[in-house]
Amino acid sequence: MTAFLDGLALVMQVDVLITIVVSAIFGLFVGMIPGLSATMAVALLVPVTFTLSPVAALATIITCSGMAMFAGDIPGAFLRIPGTPASAAYTDDMHELTKRGRLDEALGMSVLASVIGGIMGTIVLMFGAPLLADFAMNFSSYEYFWLALLGLSCATLVAGDDAAKGWISLMLGLFFSVVGLDFVTGTQRYTFGNINLQGGIGFIAVMIGAFALAEIFRKSESFDGKQLKAQIKISGRLYPSNALLWRERKHIVRGGVLGTLIGALPGAGADIAAWVTYAVSKRFARDPELFGKGSPEGVAGAGSANNAAIAGAYVPTLVFGIPGDSITAIVVGVLILKGIQPGPLVFVNSADMVNAIYIIFLLANLILIPLGIVSIYVGKFVISVRDAILYPLILLLCIYGAYAVSNNIFELWIVLAIGILVWVMQANNYPAAPLILGLVLGQVVEQNFMSSIIKANGNYINFFNRPISGTLGVVTLIIWSYPLIAAIVRRRSVSKSGRA
């Protein structure tokens, strides 16, 4: 209880409360712009966090990501264009409902479902993370090695339909993670004599290049000078009735549970959570034929899963230091920059800060109700912001953010190179998320592997000697070998059917 009160005192500081409000408005604005993501909104705010206290910095990221996640529904309802990738699953339903004048079942339901899902995810984070932290206190470098490796494996499993492209993206991220000085010997690796690369490739620069600059390149590719205009009028009530909420309660609760669980998987995130929950909601719907044609059930389920996944992703981030998605990858970087090492000890050494995170999540979800309703009215005007004004402004923020990290002009070259790389990758359907997770987890894998192999005197059997380490190792190897085993089984079944 003392830690909770200490955390509450940290959050109730004037600077933290102002930060929550300002970052909420910024997140809503960026989320409303079609094509921009919550990750991009957070990446643009990272340079601002350098001047803030650790709690205020985390409040900035948490609030901005939650608001942007909901705000992506607004252009989906008005224009049939998802504002963020996580909104794409139920965009058709929202647009059809809005066209029929049922805004309360579209955006109104989205607001409250997002809030309920976000609170459910926060409750799981509050009670589940400390229990996992107690369990993780027994972890050594062996367990962390296998856990990070398992996280990398999960990242490729959820990367998309083409697993090979997911692996290639992951390998690029792992390559970037080894640039710099060797962890053990201190020798230079892949620096090509450039002193700026001895400290490795800057994580913040990669984030800005991958999620902001690449989006600018993609947008300029299709820019035709035309402006989007929301033609649908806002009329009627915006809050769903109590009867409607009660009718969709199962979908909202199911979405909150699935979103939290999927969000806790490294590399999954809100996008995967929304699509999976939408499919499950359709399976158990009263009227499955309405999905894609204006179903409030789909909006309730997937809308709840979006924000629940955000909180769920913080479970592996805080407990193990392994990011659940691209946003929490930024959180890991910010925590380390603030001198806080995520992991099980953070619940002991920084218990007040952890409780402050819980409180921030609850506040961010609660203020989403009034700000979300206001943003629906403002959304029509934000959608109409001229790209010729918006994207040059984002480019300036990219340049400022990358330079502010180290006051080194070389960081801008990294932003440019990564921006071009990710732009080309996405044009050829290569996912960017595995690259980011490879960069973050690559160092965790290498450092724990080298520490373990030194302790084991080169004996690889020691990686399986401990019960938890052995279990994680076997699970990881099964996941790695599953595609090969499945291919062999398919080939044998085809050959048997051919003989028959």
Side-chain angles (χ1 to χ4, degrees):
M1 189 63 183
T2 302
F4 181 83
L5 293 176
D6 290 341
L8 183 62
L10 290 175
V11 175
M12 289 299 117
Q13 300 293 324
V14 175
D15 62 322
V16 177
L17 295 176
I18 293 175
T19 298
I20 289 175
V21 174
V22 173
S23 56
I25 296 172
F26 181 81
L28 287 169
F29 176 81
V30 175
M32 290 181 206
I33 305 299
L36 305 190
S37 65
T39 307
M40 178 179 177
V42 172
L44 290 174
L45 282 180
V46 167
V48 178
T49 64
F50 298 158
T51 60
L52 302 175
S53 66
V55 174
L58 289 170
T60 299
I61 296 173
I62 292 170
T63 308
C64 178
S65 57
M67 296 294 172
M69 196 64 67
F70 156 72
D73 294 347
I74 295 176
F78 289 142
L79 301 170
R80 206 173 191 167
I81 301 174
T84 60
S87 303
Y90 51 99
T91 290
D92 288 343
D93 294 283
M94 298 192 69
H95 187 65
E96 290 300 321
L97 288 169
T98 305
K99 281 200 306 183
R100 298 174 199 164
R102 296 159 63 183
L103 208 60
D104 60 323
E105 296 183 55
L107 290 174
M109 176 63 76
S110 173
V111 171
L112 294 185
S114 296
V115 171
I116 295 171
I119 291 176
M120 288 181 62
T122 303
I123 292 172
V124 172
L125 175 64
M126 291 173 64
F127 294 99
L131 293 176
L132 274 176
D134 290 337
F135 175 70
M137 291 292 286
N138 299 317
F139 278 28
S140 66
S141 59
Y142 297 108
E143 284 80 10
Y144 276 108
F145 165 72
W146 285 118
L147 195 63
L149 214 57
L150 186 61
L152 291 174
S153 305
C154 292
T156 57
L157 288 176
V158 299
D161 296 332
D162 196 330
K165 291 182 177 180
W167 274 107
I168 292 172
S169 178
L170 179 64
M171 290 301 110
L172 281 172
L174 291 174
F175 170 73
F176 292 149
S177 72
V178 301
V179 173
L181 300 180
D182 184 90
F183 171 66
V184 177
T185 65
T187 56
Q188 296 187 33
R189 302 181 300 190
Y190 307 109
T191 61
F192 306 104
N194 191 324
I195 193 173
N196 293 293
L197 289 174
Q198 289 185 7
I201 294 178
F203 171 71
I204 302 302
V206 172
M207 292 296 302
I208 293 174
F211 291 107
L213 191 60
E215 178 59 32
I216 293 175
F217 288 148
R218 189 189 69 80
K219 194 68 177 180
S220 64
E221 194 177 19
S222 58
F223 179 69
D224 56 5
K226 297 180 180 178
Q227 286 305 119
L228 300 171
K229 295 288 183 180
Q231 304 296 332
I232 298 174
K233 294 182 179 180
I234 299 177
S235 60
R237 61 182 295 166
L238 290 182
Y239 283 105
S241 64
N242 293 333
L244 178 61
L245 272 177
W246 181 252
R247 191 180 71 190
E248 309 300 348
R249 66 190 184 281
K250 292 182 180 179
H251 294 286
I252 295 174
V253 172
R254 186 190 300 117
V257 172
L258 287 175
T260 304
L261 295 176
I262 295 172
L265 294 175
D271 305 1
I272 303 296
W275 281 106
V276 170
T277 305
Y278 186 81
V280 173
S281 296
K282 185 176 182 179
R283 170 66 179 78
F284 295 99
R286 295 181 304 274
D287 303 305
E289 67 278 359
L290 290 180
F291 274 64
K293 302 174 184 177
S295 171
E297 296 173 279
V299 175
S304 175
N306 279 357
N307 277 36
I310 295 177
Y314 277 74
V315 175
T317 303
L318 292 177
V319 177
F320 303 112
I322 295 176
D325 58 7
S326 301
I327 294 174
T328 47
I330 300 175
V331 171
V332 171
V334 170
L335 286 173
I336 293 174
L337 285 173
K338 296 295 182 181
I340 301 169
Q341 181 63 47
L345 288 177
V346 77
F347 293 85
V348 179
N349 299 333
S350 304
D352 54 347
M353 191 203 67
V354 172
N355 280 274
I357 291 175
Y358 302 154
I359 296 168
I360 291 167
F361 262 110
L362 292 174
L363 283 178
N365 280 289
L366 291 176
I367 66 172
L368 176 56
I369 296 176
L371 290 181
I373 296 300
V374 172
S375 67
I376 295 173
Y377 289 101
V378 179
K380 292 183 65 174
F381 301 100
V382 174
I383 290 170
S384 302
V385 173
R386 293 180 59 83
D387 291 345
I389 298 174
L390 177 66
Y391 284 90
L393 180 60
I394 293 176
L395 180 59
L396 286 176
L397 289 174
C398 293
I399 295 172
Y400 163 73
Y403 184 75
V405 175
S406 59
N407 293 328
N408 186 352
I409 200 72
F410 185 78
E411 297 292 322
L412 300 183
W413 290 109
I414 294 178
V415 171
L416 178 62
I418 296 297
I420 294 174
L421 173 64
V422 172
W423 172 45
V424 173
M425 287 173 56
Q426 291 179 335
N428 293 278
N429 297 318
Y430 284 84
L435 184 150
I436 301 301
L437 290 169
L439 177 63
V440 175
L441 293 180
Q443 295 180 359
V444 179
V445 170
E446 181 189 15
Q447 291 178 11
N448 285 288
F449 174 78
M450 295 305 298
S451 299
S452 300
I453 204 68
I454 291 172
K455 287 191 295 186
N457 292 321
N459 186 359
Y460 290 96
I461 298 298
N462 285 16
F463 282 83
F464 297 90
N465 278 347
R466 296 163 60 91
I468 300 176
S469 174
T471 303
L472 290 173
V474 170
V475 170
T476 303
L477 294 177
I478 289 174
I479 290 176
W480 282 15
S481 58
Y482 174 77
L484 178 62
I485 295 173
I488 294 174
V489 171
R490 283 196 301 269
R491 187 174 298 175
R492 285 186 176 180
S493 61
V494 169
S495 62
K496 286 181 179 178
S497 62
R499 291 187 194 129

